[in-house]
């Protein structure tokens, strides 16, 4: 298929017009026939109050044919009034997936209306030609935008806020470009650096709370496990705030708690170590350790940042203990493959969010296994060779047998644990300024440092455990208690059988309980989906 011969507008308009006929008449068989045999359908809140991903015509047909109030799901929801967007940055255009063979076609966005519930939606499609030359959907995304009569209003913001000092290590910066971590309704100023420092981000968050009139209680803790009353459909939450206890009775609890508490493995002899030992979450700067020997346990982003800090402040010797292989991508390769903007810098980031959100996550991993990861690795070939020569172990499989799904696989399955977007740490390893202790399990600590099971030893003055954080479910259990935690599915995050992330921004299995975790970019996109679900329940629609 020669992309220069494409007529994206004509191809898109013809396909969409035919799809609307199938949708508005409730003809599931015809609707499904608009997909490739192995096409993907991702829906967010248009057909159910949940997120669904279906792969293949048979599963898509089964989903749309399910009976709801005596009608097929397709007929019940009755998506209609399809209108091709020919004016936005997501207007019909050619596409080609980098690193993938023969996956190219036409993509575009459209709007539509939903009958049940009465709502407005927006969709995105990627079309390819089948073996007979007919244009069919490789992917189709349908997304609820607003409930009729409850359209989003910029005036619905209220409440005071309070400020507090943010405690983070001095050289902490975001490892992705600033647009990836911008906030809903409020992009960063154009003169901000590409990678935001901790101070700029913290200050911007405080100003965001002021400008959006958010009600924020800092220095507050949940005093006891919240209790849910099925009869009133309300929670009882006791909060310690400003040295007093406040009893709240909300209908909904949203856990937006980020990563869990610091996770420090227990090794024999830790109390015997006579130097300084702490978790990376509590690193406040390396200046006071000038001239000291340092060991950092762990080989992810936090480890890299902290090692750079120690080197910059004159540590006598820095060694990392790499207990398992790491998926490493240089910032240059990440910018080229993961973060490269398809639009101009002044395009609202929400348009990028919408296009990115239209991709089924399991399909993304399929693309990575079929060539995407190899393409990404090729960008870092010399860099990776240098790391290996220095004894640093690399991996592209988040779990044995998962295939080389690469960086994004680690994100979807392990919330990014075991990954590093390198902003300079790797160069220190290649140059030998940071040494690597790899492949040996820790046996125990003693007063001088760390002993390994192969009989070797690292004598040191400082040990930093860059060993990650507890799982989200552990943090939830700590607040809610065992009784409620046992009612929930066992896993928050990771992909479910369909390829959607478990429990986040969608029903958790317990009424009035929601989990909002993930990156700032994910929050920017999914927070409205969560708000729509809560709104629908409060309005008696869901």
């Amino acid at each position: 298929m020669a992309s220069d011969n494409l007529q994206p507008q004509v191809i898109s308009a013809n396909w969409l017009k035919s799809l609307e006929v199938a949708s508005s008449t409730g003809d599931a068989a015809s609707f499904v026939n608009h997909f490739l045999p192995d096409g993907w359908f991702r829906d967010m809140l248009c057909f159910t109050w949940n997120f669904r991903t279906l792969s293949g015509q048979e599963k898509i047909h089964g989903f749309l044919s399910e009976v709801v109030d005596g009608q097929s799901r397709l007929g019940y929801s009755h998506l209609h009034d399809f209108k091709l967007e020919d004016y936005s940055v997501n207007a019909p255009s050619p596409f080609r997936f980098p690193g993938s063979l023969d996956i190219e076609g036409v993509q575009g966005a459209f709007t539509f209306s939903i009958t049940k519930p009465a709502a407005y939606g927006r969709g995105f499609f990627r079309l390819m030609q089948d073996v007979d030359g007919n244009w069919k959907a490789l992917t189709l995304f349908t997304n609820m935008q607003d409930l009729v009569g409850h359209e989003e209003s910029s005036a619905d913001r209220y409440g005071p806020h309070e400020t507090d000092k943010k405690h983070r290590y001095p050289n902490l910066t975001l490892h992705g470009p600033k647009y990836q971590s911008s906030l809903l309704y409020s992009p960063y100023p154009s003169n901000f650096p590409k990678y935001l420092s901790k101070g700029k981000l913290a200050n911007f968050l405080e100003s965001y709370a002021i400008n959006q009139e958010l009600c924020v209680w800092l220095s507050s803790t949940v005093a006891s496990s919240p209790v849910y009353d099925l009869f009133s459909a309300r929670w009882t939450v006791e909060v310690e705030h400003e040295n007093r206890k406040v009893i709240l009775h909300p209908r909904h609890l949203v856990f937006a708690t980020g990563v869990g508490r610091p996770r420090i493995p227990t090794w024999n002899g830790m109390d015997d170590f006579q130097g300084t030992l702490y978790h990376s979450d509590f690193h406040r700067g390396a200046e006071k350790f000038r001239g000291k020997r340092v060991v950092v346990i762990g080989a992810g982003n936090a480890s890299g940042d902290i090692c750079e800090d120690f080197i910059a402040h004159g540590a006598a010797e820095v060694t990392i203990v790499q207990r398992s292989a790491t998926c490493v991508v240089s910032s240059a390769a990440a910018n080229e493959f993961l973060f490269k903007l398809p639009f101009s810098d002044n395009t609202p980031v929400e348009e990028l969010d919408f296009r990115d959100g239209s991709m089924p996550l399991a399909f993304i991993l399929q693309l990575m296994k079929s060539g995407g990861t190899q393409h990404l690795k090729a960008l870092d070939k010399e860099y990776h060779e240098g790391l290996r020569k220095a004894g640093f172990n690399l991996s592209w499989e988040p779990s044995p047998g998962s295939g080389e799904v690469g960086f994004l696989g680690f994100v979807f399955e392990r919330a990014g644990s075991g990954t590093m977007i390198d902003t300079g740490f790797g160069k220190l390893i290649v140059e030998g300024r940071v040494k690597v202790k790899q492949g040996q399990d820790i046996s125990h600590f003693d007063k001088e440092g760390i002993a390994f099971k192969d009989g070797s030893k690292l004598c040191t003055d400082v040990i930093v455990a860059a060993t990650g954080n507890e799982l989200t479910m552990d943090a939830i259990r700590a607040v809610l208690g065992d009784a409620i935690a046992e009612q929930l599915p066992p896993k928050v995050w990771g992909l479910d059988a369909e390829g959607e992330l478990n429990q986040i921004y969608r029903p958790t299995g317990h009424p009035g309980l929601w989990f909002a975790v993930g990156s700032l970019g994910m929050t920017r996109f999914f927070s409205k989906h969560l708000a729509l679900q809560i709104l629908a329940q409060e309005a008696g629609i869901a």
Side-chain angles (χ1 to χ4, degrees):
M1 178 186 65
S3 59
D4 55 351
N5 294 327
L6 289 178
Q7 294 181 294
Q9 180 78 22
V10 174
I11 293 167
S12 299
N14 290 340
W15 179 86
L16 189 65
K17 181 178 180 181
S18 179
L19 183 73
E20 181 184 15
V21 173
S23 177
S24 60
T25 58
D27 189 340
S30 177
F31 191 94
V32 171
N33 192 47
H34 287 75
F35 288 80
L36 293 169
D38 57 351
W40 294 78
F41 178 41
R42 190 180 196 191
D43 175 68
M44 290 186 175
L45 309 181
C46 297
F47 289 96
T48 72
W49 289 109
N50 210 326
F51 306 160
R52 300 292 301 272
T53 294
L54 294 309
S55 173
Q57 289 184 344
E58 182 178 352
K59 290 182 179 179
I60 298 171
H61 185 272
F63 171 66
L64 296 175
S65 299
E66 291 173 354
V67 177
V68 181
D69 285 353
Q71 303 178 68
S72 70
R73 188 177 298 282
L74 181 65
Y76 177 85
S77 298
H78 190 235
L79 274 59
H80 61 284
D81 195 20
F82 290 16
K83 294 179 180 178
L84 188 66
E85 288 190 6
D86 52 11
Y87 54 86
S88 74
V89 292
N90 280 310
S93 64
F95 79 87
R96 187 180 188 278
F97 291 131
S100 301
L101 298 176
D102 302 324
I103 300 183
E104 57 182 328
V106 170
Q107 63 185 4
F110 65 102
T111 59
F112 55 87
S113 296
I114 309 169
T115 299
K116 294 181 182 178
Y120 303 112
R122 193 179 184 204
F124 195 91
F125 55 81
R126 295 174 181 85
L127 309 180
M128 291 180 61
Q129 288 179 294
D130 64 12
V131 294
D132 297 319
N134 299 311
W135 289 96
K136 306 280 187 176
L138 172 64
T139 70
L140 174 63
F141 176 53
T142 50
N143 184 66
M144 182 184 289
Q145 297 288 109
D146 278 301
L147 289 165
V148 174
H150 302 276
E151 290 80 358
E152 186 175 16
S153 168
S154 60
D156 295 337
R157 314 235 164 64
Y158 57 88
H161 95 292
E162 302 168 15
T163 62
D164 192 27
K165 191 174 181 180
K166 308 298 186 292
H167 299 286
R168 295 291 185 269
Y169 49 87
N171 67 320
L172 176 63
T173 60
L174 296 180
H175 282 234
K178 63 184 178 183
Y179 80 84
Q180 279 280 350
S181 300
S182 65
L183 305 179
L184 195 61
Y185 312 117
S186 188
Y188 296 122
S190 60
N191 64 341
F192 268 31
K194 185 173 184 178
Y195 300 99
L196 297 188
S197 66
K198 61 149 188 170
K200 278 194 176 295
L201 179 59
N203 291 336
F204 192 84
L205 289 173
E206 291 185 351
S207 68
Y208 185 84
I210 295 171
N211 294 334
Q212 298 296 327
E213 298 183 314
L214 304 179
C215 180
V216 179
W217 285 6
L218 299 177
S219 302
S220 302
T221 58
V222 179
S224 59
S225 295
V227 176
Y228 186 76
D229 180 67
L230 285 171
F231 180 76
S232 64
R234 289 186 178 274
W235 294 88
T236 297
V237 185
E238 183 179 351
V239 178
E240 289 188 5
H241 175 62
E242 293 184 340
N243 297 317
R244 63 190 179 96
K245 290 188 177 180
V246 181
I247 306 297
L248 304 173
H249 296 287
R251 290 174 58 84
H252 300 270
L253 279 185
V254 179
F255 275 73
T257 49
V259 295
R261 295 174 296 188
R263 180 176 61 215
I264 304 179
T266 301
W267 288 288
N268 291 332
M270 293 179 75
D271 293 338
D272 298 330
F273 178 57
Q274 295 182 355
T276 302
L277 170 64
Y278 59 91
H279 189 273
S280 57
D281 276 12
F282 305 108
H283 182 70
R284 298 293 179 258
E287 174 61 38
K288 63 182 178 180
F289 300 114
R290 185 178 295 273
K292 300 293 185 180
R293 299 166 298 173
V294 178
V295 171
V296 179
I297 304 173
N301 281 324
S303 174
D305 286 347
I306 289 169
C307 285
E308 288 186 69
D309 192 26
F310 279 117
I311 292 293
H313 288 88
E317 183 179 276
V318 179
T319 303
I320 64 162
V321 176
Q322 187 188 31
R323 298 177 298 156
S324 59
T326 309
C327 181
V328 180
V329 180
S330 70
S331 60
N335 284 330
E336 175 64 27
F337 188 84
L338 300 172
F339 302 139
K340 189 173 184 179
L341 282 169
F343 313 127
S344 64
D345 289 344
N346 59 359
T347 299
V349 72
E350 289 80 8
E351 290 296 321
L352 178 63
D353 291 340
F354 177 69
R355 182 181 290 193
D356 286 349
S358 72
M359 280 289 285
L361 304 185
F363 180 49
I364 292 175
L365 298 188
Q366 187 181 100
L367 291 174
M368 295 305 293
K369 284 194 287 188
S370 65
T373 297
Q374 291 301 319
H375 179 76
L376 182 56
K377 288 166 65 175
L379 297 175
D380 277 334
K381 183 179 179 181
E382 292 183 6
Y383 165 60
H384 288 157
E385 289 175 353
L387 288 176
R388 289 192 182 95
K389 289 179 181 178
F392 194 90
N393 198 11
L394 300 172
S395 175
W396 307 97
E397 293 188 348
S399 58
S402 62
E404 289 199 338
V405 292
F407 179 83
L408 293 176
F410 279 79
V411 172
F412 297 157
E413 293 292 350
R414 295 170 49 175
S417 174
T419 68
M420 180 190 299
I421 296 181
D422 181 28
T423 58
F425 171 57
K427 183 179 180 182
L428 298 178
I429 293 177
V430 173
E431 294 175 347
R433 300 175 67 190
V434 172
K435 296 179 174 61
V436 179
K437 178 68 174 179
Q438 198 279 328
Q440 297 298 327
D441 291 332
I442 294 174
S443 171
H444 61 277
F445 286 35
D446 61 24
K447 66 179 183 180
E448 297 177 323
I450 303 172
F452 295 86
K453 290 185 178 180
D454 66 347
S456 60
K457 182 176 178 178
L458 283 174
C459 294
T460 187
D461 304 303
V462 181
I463 299 174
V464 181
T467 48
N469 299 79
E470 291 182 348
L471 298 174
T472 301
M473 183 54 78
D474 293 333
I476 291 167
R477 184 182 293 272
V479 176
L480 292 179
D482 291 338
I484 291 179
E486 293 300 326
Q487 301 175 40
L488 302 173
K491 193 175 182 181
V492 175
W493 203 270
L495 299 185
D496 64 16
E498 290 186 348
E500 292 290 345
L501 289 166
N502 284 298
Q503 300 193 71
I504 64 168
Y505 300 97
R506 56 193 294 215
T508 62
H510 190 287
L513 180 62
W514 310 88
F515 304 143
V517 298
S519 65
L520 290 173
M522 290 187 65
T523 299
R524 187 178 60 236
F525 179 66
F526 283 110
S527 58
K528 184 171 180 179
H529 296 87
L530 174 53
L532 282 169
Q533 292 170 83
I534 292 176
L535 173 61
Q537 290 186 15
E538 293 302 294
I541 297 171

